[in-house]
Amino acid sequence: MRIVLLGAPGSGKGTQAQKLVAGHGIPQVSTGDLLRAELKSGSAPGLRAKADMDAGRLVADELVLEIIKRRLEMDDARNGFILDGFPRNCTQAQDLAQLLRQIDKPLDAVLLLDIDMDILRKRLTGRRTCSVTGKVLNIHFSPQQDLDASIAAGGELVHRADDNDETIARRLNVYQEQTRPLIEFYKSIDLLRVVDAMGTAEEVSERIQQALKY
Ligand code: ADP
């Protein structure tokens, strides 16, 4: 099965991709993760991507395409893959279509994780990580007792560097302006399946299973 997960930053693509990996035995291919790995290894593409990533802008298309091409050629992607965070603009969608045509492996479905922008903003701005347990919490949505437990354990609720207001606003803008047009594109070629992404991760996962049945 070859799937694209489409959705704004914070819509839960990463979480749902991991659930699909567990259920279908095909790899999650996240351009965000691949770029962060390049950066960590100190490679030339990683260093080129850094400034854009830090600022919440899209990294150059040809760089992302090169990375994704290499990843999809790997053995474990032979029977399918879940693309998470790619494509993110029209050029990337065209590049992907061409790449998959060349290897004769068309997409089966594009799942749109649909979520209210206000909730999204709260998910992103409220996200904190407990410095003791590493647990990801949200000051707007987590039960008060979980937040209190973290403090009681001597933990601090740490705000991720790329979750600052300015970068979040830019990431959401980039999504609105460059990624949202892909919804119409995939609808027009009959690949789009819209999934309500509000509720718990389990509820969303169940909706995805249903959406993949038809
Ligand atoms: P988010 O959930 O905030 O979108 P990601 O981990 O998917 O986080 O991506 C982090 C950053 O990596 C993006 O803000 C962008 O700079 C870069 N990036 C990821 N995927 C792509 C892509 N397909 N094209 C260009 N840049 C990308």
Side-chain angles (χ1 to χ4, degrees):
M1 192 154 44
R2 292 175 292 274
I3 302 173
V4 167
L5 284 180
L6 199 59
S11 60
K13 294 190 300 288
T15 307
Q16 295 304 325
Q18 281 166 17
K19 287 183 178 290
L20 283 165
V21 167
H24 295 266
I26 48 176
Q28 168 189 13
V29 176
S30 152
T31 37
D33 288 348
L34 291 171
L35 286 166
R36 277 185 287 274
E38 293 282 347
L39 193 60
K40 208 167 161 201
S41 74
S43 71
L47 294 174
R48 256 187 80 196
K50 183 175 167 29
D52 286 330
M53 291 179 75
D54 284 349
R57 287 187 300 260
L58 291 188
V59 169
D61 291 330
E62 73 275 7
L63 201 156
V64 176
L65 182 67
E66 187 52 41
I67 288 173
I68 207 96
K69 212 170 175 170
R70 253 189 285 143
R71 181 64 187 87
L72 294 185
E73 279 166 0
M74 287 169 75
D75 245 16
D76 65 341
R78 231 188 4 236
N79 295 324
F81 45 78
I82 300 145
L83 288 177
D84 159 13
F86 180 90
R88 250 174 157 98
N89 62 24
C90 293
T91 307
Q92 293 182 7
Q94 304 291 354
D95 287 343
L96 176 65
Q98 193 184 5
L99 178 66
L100 297 181
R101 234 184 342 261
Q102 279 165 6
I103 54 176
D104 200 19
K105 289 184 168 172
L107 289 174
D108 294 303
V110 174
L111 295 167
L112 171 66
L113 297 187
D114 194 24
I115 188 161
D116 184 274
M117 282 311 256
D118 284 339
I119 294 192
L120 210 55
R121 225 166 264 125
K122 282 190 175 168
R123 274 197 190 178
L124 292 167
T125 56
R127 184 156 62 183
R128 300 286 187 279
T129 308
C130 172
S131 62
V132 171
T133 61
K135 194 170 170 187
V136 179
L137 297 160
N138 190 296
I139 55 169
H140 304 299
F141 300 122
S142 296
Q144 190 60 43
Q145 71 215 45
D146 288 0
L147 296 169
D148 291 345
S150 166
I151 308 289
E156 272 181 61
L157 296 176
V158 183
H159 207 175
R160 251 174 48 173
D162 64 341
D163 275 347
N164 66 71
D165 289 354
E166 199 185 331
T167 310
I168 288 170
R170 188 164 304 126
R171 278 153 63 204
L172 291 176
N173 263 342
V174 167
Y175 175 75
Q176 294 284 15
E177 285 171 13
Q178 303 194 46
T179 313
R180 265 182 76 94
L182 297 186
I183 296 175
E184 281 308 314
F185 170 68
Y186 284 120
K187 200 189 272 178
S188 74
I189 54 173
D190 219 14
L191 281 177
L192 191 79
R193 307 196 189 167
V194 182
V195 175
D196 176 0
M198 289 178 274
T200 65
E202 282 66 35
E203 285 164 352
V204 178
S205 170
E206 181 53 38
R207 291 180 200 132
I208 287 179
Q209 296 312 321
Q210 292 302 324
L212 286 175
K213 279 189 190 149
Y214 64 85

